[in-house]
Amino acid sequence: MYLRRKIDSFLQNWKADEEHKPLIVRGSRQVGKTESINHFARQNYESIIEINFIRDEKYKGIITDGYEAAAIIKNISLIDPAKQFIPGKTLIFFDEITDFPEIATSLKFFHLDGRFDVICSGSMLGINYKRIESNSVGYKTDYHMHSMDFEEFLWARGYDDAAVDGVLQHMLEEKHFSELEIKVWHDLFLDFCVLGGMPAVVAEFIRKGTFEGSLQTQRQLIADYREDIRKYAEGMDQTRITNVFNRIAPQLAKENKKFQISKVAPGARFRDYRGCAEWLADAGMVNICHCLDFPELPLGGNYDPDVFKLYFADTGLLVAMLDEESQDDLRANKNLGVYRGGLYENIVAEALTKAGCSLYYYRREDSTLEEDFFLRTASDLIPVEVKAKSGRSKSLRTLIDSSHYPDIRYGFKLSMNNIGHENRIYTFPYFCAFLLKRFLASFQPEEQQ
């Protein structure tokens, strides 16, 4: 069963461009890169030359005679004469190039040759991407693939684009969802929270109609990520990076979700762990949310690089890291327990990242004001509050009303509640988070009309 992905339309547009360059698809393991590329290839090419540098190490010798396209094709044919290179009808797919980044040097020559399309992919490309970048600068296109977002999950469940457009129209028109709509969308959203967006987990859930087996699949992925840390991190960094990875879930369960290195291991000091969070982010395992020095535009450079929150890049990973009691309660009763705030924040951080937004939060030094996330337009800074419990939005109200924050004129609140608008706060149900950036592109706030 193939699950529709957003990369599908990107690949079609890439191929349709007469000037298209070799493509590198980046993304963490098990997000569906290979499956999507092969699906596209079967639909569009007469011949597919797939080379996996982990599975078929013998192909690392194809650059023996240099990086010219003709030399590489000759050596591939020497290893396997059954492979057909048909000009204009062949896709060469170099998979797992993390284990053989040297092949990126050939992309320039394949582009200049022009007879064959080339796509490269790999699970840990972010770790040594500078090496690949220097080998192919100016002769490649990049695409960063994530695990499935909520929209892709809805496609997998049988919903079409019209259903998603309908949710967006509710937001733009400030139109209440009916009780039935709220229940259906929220139940779907909670399923997505529990499962995450890894295609194997989602496909298994659709086949069985239950959560049976999903936890085992998620935990195997966690084990694979830990193995990647051991394989790709160097020296003492392996232990430190693993320690940081293991402490993300417990710290998200706390009221103050700022990531504290002192809680990672006895005697842990920040200088010893510098770069560990960035390594995990480069590997595609986590998203970093930086703390703003002050909530104002521009955002670039307006943050403390040493103060941040860490969220899992896929919320299913957070779920898989929970203790046994929380696991049982969550899957059987949809009770989020002490992780409620962390889970909802994680899913919103994931949604914003997958929509192409950078993550920032703000916490005043005296802890009297804190805001979870921020979005921006050309002229406005928009605070986004994730409300795990009912109650007043004191920090959001302060940011909007105070003259100390001139870039902030209105804000968004995500909660269990229906769509609403009062005193410059626009409220949306949690399941609308994936549409916030799309919403902003067409939104005209009353405050500016």
Side-chain angles (χ1 to χ4, degrees):
M1 174 177 59
Y2 180 73
L3 301 178
R4 176 187 172 193
R5 303 299 303 278
K6 291 183 176 179
I7 193 176
D8 298 342
S9 57
F10 174 86
L11 290 171
Q12 293 293 347
N13 292 334
W14 169 77
K15 180 172 173 52
D17 181 359
E18 293 183 359
E19 301 298 321
H20 65 266
K21 300 175 181 178
L23 174 65
I24 295 183
V25 178
R26 304 169 64 183
S28 58
R29 64 158 62 238
Q30 300 300 316
V31 298
K33 300 182 300 297
T34 300
E35 186 174 8
S36 292
I37 293 168
N38 277 324
H39 177 75
F40 161 75
R42 289 191 296 269
Q43 292 182 323
N44 291 274
Y45 296 92
E46 186 174 330
S47 178
I48 305 167
I49 311 298
E50 181 180 359
I51 295 174
N52 183 309
F53 287 112
I54 291 180
R55 186 182 62 228
D56 303 314
E57 289 197 13
K58 58 181 177 291
Y59 283 100
K60 292 181 180 180
I62 60 178
I63 60 171
T64 301
D65 299 319
Y67 295 97
E68 293 284 348
I72 289 175
I73 290 167
K74 181 196 73 173
N75 286 329
I76 293 174
S77 297
L78 185 64
I79 295 171
D80 184 357
K83 295 188 184 300
Q84 291 185 301
F85 292 87
I86 308 170
K89 298 180 180 181
T90 298
L91 174 69
I92 302 174
F93 176 24
F94 293 125
D95 201 5
E96 298 294 357
I97 67 168
T98 311
D99 273 46
F100 191 57
E102 292 84 352
I103 196 63
T105 303
S106 71
L107 299 185
K108 171 183 178 179
F109 300 100
F110 274 108
H111 180 61
L112 296 175
D113 182 277
R115 291 178 295 163
F116 312 104
D117 288 348
V118 179
I119 297 179
C120 300
S121 182
S123 297
M124 298 287 287
L125 285 177
I127 300 304
N128 60 3
Y129 197 68
K130 290 181 180 179
R131 184 176 171 190
I132 294 172
E133 180 74 33
S134 64
N135 287 347
S136 55
V137 62
Y139 293 95
K140 64 175 179 57
T141 298
D142 285 291
Y143 182 89
H144 192 168
M145 188 174 181
H146 301 279
S147 63
M148 300 171 72
D149 65 8
F150 186 48
E151 184 171 14
E152 291 172 310
F153 177 74
L154 292 175
W155 292 343
R157 292 300 310 273
Y159 292 88
D160 59 14
D161 294 335
V164 174
D165 291 340
V167 175
L168 180 59
Q169 281 306 116
H170 272 273
M171 296 170 68
L172 290 170
E173 296 171 10
E174 297 179 28
K175 178 183 174 183
H176 269 52
F177 293 100
S178 69
E179 288 186 17
L180 177 62
E181 288 172 324
I182 281 283
K183 183 180 187 319
V184 170
W185 291 123
H186 187 65
D187 285 350
L188 286 164
F189 180 74
L190 279 179
D191 286 345
F192 180 64
C193 287
V194 173
L195 293 164
M198 294 300 180
V201 178
V202 174
E204 189 171 28
F205 173 73
I206 292 172
R207 281 195 304 270
K208 295 180 178 178
T210 69
F211 293 113
E212 179 189 353
S214 61
L215 178 58
Q216 288 77 10
T217 304
Q218 289 169 329
R219 285 183 170 169
Q220 181 57 54
L221 185 60
I222 292 287
D224 291 341
Y225 276 171
R226 289 181 174 133
E227 179 60 33
D228 284 339
I229 294 171
R230 286 190 288 271
K231 181 177 180 180
Y232 293 102
E234 298 177 356
M236 284 296 295
D237 284 345
Q238 295 177 8
T239 300
R240 291 170 181 154
I241 292 169
T242 301
N243 287 343
V244 170
F245 184 74
N246 290 339
R247 291 299 302 173
I248 297 173
Q251 295 208 25
L252 285 177
K254 299 183 181 301
E255 185 68 25
N256 178 9
K257 296 175 178 57
K258 169 192 168 185
F259 194 82
Q260 297 175 287
I261 294 297
S262 61
K263 305 294 185 183
V264 169
R269 297 171 297 183
F270 190 88
R271 66 172 180 268
D272 295 329
Y273 281 79
R274 185 177 298 277
C276 291
E278 288 78 6
W279 192 99
L280 289 167
D282 287 342
M285 299 179 191
V286 306
N287 295 321
I288 301 177
C289 184
H290 291 287
C291 184
L292 293 172
D293 294 323
F294 190 80
E296 65 181 356
L297 296 174
L299 297 178
N302 176 28
Y303 63 87
D304 185 339
D306 296 337
V307 181
F308 51 82
K309 299 179 186 179
L310 288 182
Y311 299 103
F312 285 101
D314 186 273
T315 303
L317 301 182
L318 169 58
V319 171
M321 298 282 278
L322 303 185
D323 54 79
E324 292 292 342
E325 293 76 15
S326 297
Q327 286 282 349
D328 294 341
D329 208 13
L330 177 59
R331 292 172 191 275
N333 306 313
K334 300 292 179 65
N335 181 16
L336 309 182
V338 297
Y339 291 96
R340 176 182 296 274
L343 191 99
Y344 281 134
E345 277 193 37
N346 201 102
I347 200 76
V348 172
E350 177 187 339
L352 295 179
T353 299
K354 289 177 177 179
C357 303
S358 299
L359 300 181
Y360 300 97
Y361 79 104
Y362 178 67
R363 183 180 176 89
R364 191 184 283 166
E365 288 186 3
D366 60 7
S367 302
T368 58
L369 189 154
E370 181 173 5
E371 199 54 73
D372 300 315
F373 302 103
F374 289 87
L375 295 173
R376 66 159 300 172
T377 64
S379 58
D380 289 323
L381 183 63
I382 305 114
V384 179
E385 181 164 304
V386 182
K387 202 71 175 174
K389 302 177 181 177
S390 59
R392 298 176 58 212
S393 302
K394 184 179 177 181
S395 292
L396 184 57
R397 183 83 273 149
T398 299
L399 288 168
I400 294 171
D401 290 344
S402 174
S403 60
H404 290 99
Y405 313 104
D407 292 332
I408 299 173
R409 287 179 278 186
Y410 59 94
F412 297 155
K413 180 170 69 173
L414 296 164
S415 71
M416 289 286 290
N417 297 325
N418 212 320
I419 286 178
H421 172 212
E422 184 179 11
N423 296 329
R424 295 187 286 170
I425 295 178
Y426 295 81
T427 301
F428 304 106
Y430 297 119
F431 59 77
C432 293
F434 77 103
L435 286 170
L436 284 178
K437 185 176 182 180
R438 212 177 304 177
F439 168 78
L440 275 176
S442 303
F443 175 58
Q444 185 61 39
E446 291 184 11
E447 293 72 27
Q448 296 180 3
Q449 293 179 7

